[in-house]
Amino acid sequence: MNWQEPARCLVALGEGVLAGATGRYAKRLVELQGLYADEAAFAAMLPGRGETVVYEVTEFRPSGRSGDMIFGITRMVPGQVGREFFMTRGHIHARADRPEVYYGQKGHGLMLMESPEGEIRTVEIAPQTICYVPPFWIHRSVNVGAEDLVMMFSYPADAGQDYEIIARSGGMRVRIVADGSGRWTQVDNRSYRRRSADEIGRLAGLAS
Ligand code: ZN
């Protein structure tokens, strides 16, 4: 029997990457069109900062098999589009009953989570903070600090990501914005559309 080999990966905190990763992807600002409320501010940023990498993920993916585990490092630069802080696209797991853990390494961020019915939870993440994202919660991370937000994450290898659930509802129910005195606050997303009873029922059925 050829058992899988153990691995050792190092967190390069300065660069915000995982050394020894098996994969990497990055999202540039230009790829995040439609995510932010202030479309004029977004358009004004594109000529100078369109190619800026807003966030990148370096991950160690031993396999995609059920029961295996993926982990990695996510790094997001500080910044805002208008008043709204930089954030990831966000997702629910394609296998929605799969959870995730985030572990703060550097910077100041938060995990924005939304239940299928549209309930909101926020968990602030600083170094040495562990955030548990339960199954069935849509989640996105937000950099509300002034430096890179670096977090370790881990989730079941068969979880997958469904980004469309957020697009279908016109974004998440709230937006995380600067309050004008150096802190963050949440405001209602005016484009938000509630999920249908069918969709909520389908997820609830998987949960019971
Ligand atoms: Zn996830």
Side-chain angles (χ1 to χ4, degrees):
M1 181 72 191
N2 284 327
W3 303 106
Q4 280 176 271
E5 285 295 324
R8 176 176 191 257
C9 295
L10 295 179
V11 179
L13 204 52
E15 297 85 54
V17 299
L18 187 71
T22 61
R24 171 187 186 268
Y25 70 88
K27 283 279 173 230
R28 296 166 297 142
L29 185 63
V30 66
E31 297 174 274
L32 300 174
Q33 185 110 38
L35 215 59
Y36 297 94
D38 191 338
E39 291 173 12
F42 183 85
M45 289 170 77
L46 282 186
R49 299 195 62 196
E51 297 302 311
T52 298
V53 170
V54 175
Y55 61 93
E56 74 172 315
V57 172
T58 42
E59 63 174 24
F60 186 84
R61 186 179 290 251
S63 80
R65 280 192 294 275
S66 173
D68 211 336
M69 199 166 74
I70 294 168
F71 62 90
I73 292 290
T74 170
R75 177 186 69 91
M76 183 165 20
V77 301
Q80 292 171 220
V81 176
R83 290 173 60 206
E84 195 172 8
F85 288 107
F86 278 179
M87 58 186 166
T88 57
R89 283 177 69 195
H91 57 263
I92 192 170
H93 291 150
R95 291 190 182 212
D97 61 347
R98 301 307 198 247
E100 186 158 2
V101 162
Y102 285 82
Y103 180 24
Q105 304 281 297
K106 185 167 113 179
H108 178 201
L110 56 86
M111 192 61 56
L112 175 60
M113 290 170 277
E114 180 181 313
S115 72
E117 290 90 343
E119 288 177 82
I120 290 292
R121 302 282 188 277
T122 54
V123 170
E124 289 207 57
I125 300 178
Q128 311 303 315
T129 309
I130 297 173
C131 172
Y132 169 61
V133 179
F136 299 102
W137 285 78
I138 298 159
H139 48 286
R140 105 176 343 150
S141 46
V142 186
N143 187 350
V144 296
E147 61 176 333
D148 279 4
L149 172 65
V150 179
M151 298 183 290
M152 182 262 187
F153 61 83
S154 186
Y155 59 90
D158 61 357
Q161 285 92 10
D162 170 7
Y163 300 97
E164 292 308 309
I165 193 168
I166 295 179
R168 279 199 303 277
S169 60
M172 293 179 73
R173 193 171 67 70
V174 303
R175 296 183 176 280
I176 305 300
V177 301
D179 72 351
S181 58
R183 303 161 85 94
W184 64 270
T185 188
Q186 64 185 53
V187 295
D188 282 343
N189 169 14
R190 281 175 296 180
S191 307
Y192 183 73
R193 299 180 295 274
R194 288 194 171 278
R195 267 164 222 101
S196 68
D198 275 0
E199 184 162 22
I200 294 169
R202 185 182 63 79
L203 290 166
L206 292 170
S208 57

